[in-house]
Amino acid sequence: MTDVHARFAHVLTPIQLGSLTVRNRIFVPAHTTSFGIDHLPSERHLAYHRERARGGVGAIIFESIRVQSNCLGRPQAVGGFTRDCIEPFSRIAAAVRAEGARLLGQVIHLGRQVDGDFERTVSWGPSPVRWSGTSAMPHAMTEDDMQTVIDGHVATARNLVEAGLDGLEVQLGHGHLLQQFLSPLSNAREDAYGGSLENRLRFPLAVVAAVRAAVGRDFCLGIRVSGDEFVDGGLHLDEVCTAVAALAQAVPLDFVNVSHSAYHASYSLATQMADMAFDPQMFRHLPGAVRRRLHDSGHAVPVMSVCRYDTLAEAETIIAQGETDMVGMARAHLAEPALVAKTLAGREDEIQPCIACNQGCAGMLEKNMPIRCVVNPRAGVENEWPVPATRARPSLGTCW
Ligand SMILES: Cc1cc2nc3c(=O)[nH]c(=O)nc-3n(C[C@H](O)[C@H](O)[C@H](O)COP(=O)(O)O)c2cc1C
Ligand code: SF4
């Protein structure tokens, strides 16, 4: 074993997510890029993800893929419910696989925070509870509406399987529709879908079960959850652990991706893409707690941890501690696509670190503009700037 392999023994051990083998424990979590054209993946997506696959990650989770026209939100958002997405997705999956990585998709209905301005659609949610003081009042979904959401997830999942993606994640986190049902903050229903945790879980569980039935047991399928909403009256870790264990009991899951936050006009939303003002330690206990509950309930499902990981050394430590099985690095890979490869080549001093400023990435997204990166001008324009910029190394005494 080489020094580097000994140093990153846990990170470099391949992992099995159900039937899917992933070459190492580092993945790029889903992040919306606004690179879509006509609600389809674009050449820009292809170049962007190929570069990160080439940089050595084990898996990439493609950005949120909308399951219905009423949750497209922004014009550049990508949908998966029509068959014309199959061809562009298949080319991206092939490009990522050719570099040795895996491409997974995230299927999502965003629920109440889509105001429908661009697509002229009505905002949907479990109850007429707004996410912010000025947002659209959501229409309280009927059981027929819920069935259309299930159908949208199933159609999208089938299209993505046909496109050759290696796996799927159903979005139950970040305060999107399924979390809106789960959370007492957004679910005020008095029917079988509100009240007790069992009731609030009923619709998210029906969606996950339908997707599992559509893709079959052998296809890699996981969920993303928020371990904590960080809002008074919202979901907290213990209840989330209970919900995840109940889901794993009811539906075979191949991984659980543990993030945090809700789409709520408060401190909560800011935690999702925590900037430099946050101490990342406040998120580190979440995946371990979910993992322990899963193991204790007899479901040894691999767990993923995210948010403000910058180095393979940090990933190695938390995996070695048994707190997670995989580590996600989204912004770290926007800033440095070759983070893994450079680390393994002993070129850590050449890595361009993410500074957690959120200006180029989350900031542009909020403006409905393609994401960029303040420290990596090639991010998102890999086709226009095909040759990686080389940085001259300063010698002692060099003035910059
Ligand atoms: C620009 C941007 C867009 C994002 N879009 C999504 C998304 O579409 N779906 C999702 O589940 N998370 C999304 N996220 C959250 C990331 O998956 C991740 O949880 C978060 O950025 C924290 O990880 P990091 O510190 O490695 O960036 C987004 C993050 C950023 C910065
Ligand atoms: S814009 Fe800032 S926060 Fe976003 S990836 Fe680049 S350095 Fe990180």
Side-chain angles (χ1 to χ4, degrees):
M1 195 187 278
T2 62
D3 277 358
V4 84
H5 281 80
R7 212 172 129 211
F8 301 114
H10 292 86
V11 161
L12 296 179
T13 303
I15 186 165
Q16 213 54 46
L17 303 179
S19 58
L20 183 70
T21 309
V22 179
R23 64 180 167 184
N24 62 46
R25 306 297 181 99
I26 304 297
F27 74 101
V28 179
H31 54 288
T32 298
T33 55
S34 293
F35 296 163
I37 297 176
D38 296 333
H39 298 306
L40 295 174
S42 64
E43 288 305 308
R44 200 168 181 178
H45 278 113
L46 193 153
Y48 178 79
H49 290 301
R50 177 171 49 209
E51 176 128 335
R52 277 133 193 101
R54 192 172 286 162
V57 292
I60 293 172
I61 304 184
F62 194 86
E63 68 193 62
S64 291
I65 303 167
R66 275 75 166 163
V67 302
Q68 274 190 307
S69 57
N70 65 3
C71 67
L72 283 167
R74 54 177 63 87
Q76 309 89 336
V78 173
F81 50 91
T82 58
R83 291 186 58 77
D84 51 1
C85 75
I86 296 173
E87 192 273 335
F89 268 123
S90 67
R91 290 193 303 110
I92 298 172
V96 166
R97 243 196 322 269
E99 300 295 341
R102 304 295 199 170
L103 185 72
L104 286 76
Q106 179 187 86
V107 290
I108 186 170
H109 193 297
L110 292 88
R112 66 177 178 171
Q113 65 266 15
V114 170
D115 58 20
D117 280 357
F118 288 112
E119 301 293 325
R120 312 308 302 160
T121 54
V122 173
S123 193
W124 279 10
S127 305
V129 179
R130 302 173 202 264
W131 73 272
S132 79
T134 54
S135 61
M137 179 64 83
H139 153 70
M141 290 169 62
T142 64
E143 291 199 19
D144 285 347
D145 297 334
M146 289 184 220
Q147 187 57 51
T148 68
V149 171
I150 293 175
D151 295 344
H153 277 81
V154 165
T156 301
R158 288 205 170 113
N159 287 340
L160 297 174
V161 171
E162 191 172 332
L165 266 68
D166 296 299
L168 291 179
E169 152 180 289
V170 181
Q171 175 62 295
L172 269 73
H174 290 175
H176 298 296
L177 181 67
L178 302 186
Q179 185 174 324
Q180 290 160 29
F181 270 83
L182 259 182
S183 172
L185 211 59
S186 38
N187 184 340
R189 297 179 77 101
E190 293 180 350
D191 60 4
Y193 299 92
S196 65
L197 178 61
E198 187 187 357
N199 279 0
R200 284 181 274 126
L201 187 58
R202 195 178 305 281
F203 177 54
L205 196 153
V207 172
V208 179
V211 174
R212 172 54 87 193
V215 301
R217 178 61 194 100
D218 288 341
F219 189 78
C220 172
L221 177 68
I223 56 172
R224 188 167 215 195
V225 295
S226 282
D228 200 315
E229 288 190 326
F230 296 120
V231 195
D232 287 344
L235 282 171
H236 295 296
L237 182 57
D238 192 54
E239 207 174 29
V240 175
C241 288
T242 306
V244 170
L247 276 160
Q249 176 67 29
V251 185
L253 297 178
D254 297 319
F255 64 88
V256 177
N257 183 352
V258 182
S259 185
H260 46 264
S261 79
Y263 230 92
H264 187 264
S266 68
Y267 166 88
S268 175
L269 187 52
T271 64
Q272 185 197 135
M273 310 158 188
D275 67 15
M276 58 175 79
F278 286 88
D279 177 356
Q281 292 309 319
M282 69 179 277
F283 313 120
R284 294 294 179 257
H285 64 295
L286 301 173
V290 173
R291 190 171 186 270
R292 275 184 287 281
R293 185 72 68 87
L294 280 165
H295 281 241
D296 290 350
S297 59
H299 304 286
V301 179
V303 162
M304 299 168 172
S305 175
V306 297
C307 205
R308 299 278 307 281
Y309 288 98
D310 293 318
T311 64
L312 291 202
E314 286 173 284
E316 179 66 22
T317 302
I318 193 160
I319 298 171
Q321 288 167 345
E323 294 290 303
T324 190
D325 298 282
M326 290 185 80
V327 168
M329 299 186 189
R331 286 167 295 174
H333 278 99
L334 249 154
E336 177 56 84
L339 191 152
V340 175
K342 284 185 179 174
T343 306
L344 300 185
R347 292 163 52 205
E348 281 157 291
D349 59 331
E350 291 177 36
I351 289 173
Q352 181 62 66
C354 164
I355 57 170
C357 65
N358 277 356
Q359 291 178 2
C361 52
M364 295 306 260
L365 194 60
E366 274 173 24
K367 296 183 172 74
N368 290 315
M369 304 271 288
I371 59 167
R372 305 296 297 261
C373 176
V374 161
V375 301
N376 174 13
R378 288 191 75 241
V381 286
E382 286 79 6
N383 276 341
E384 283 82 57
W385 289 29
V387 182
T390 50
R391 286 191 297 135
R393 302 224 199 156
S395 57
L396 282 178
T398 300
C399 189
W400 284 77

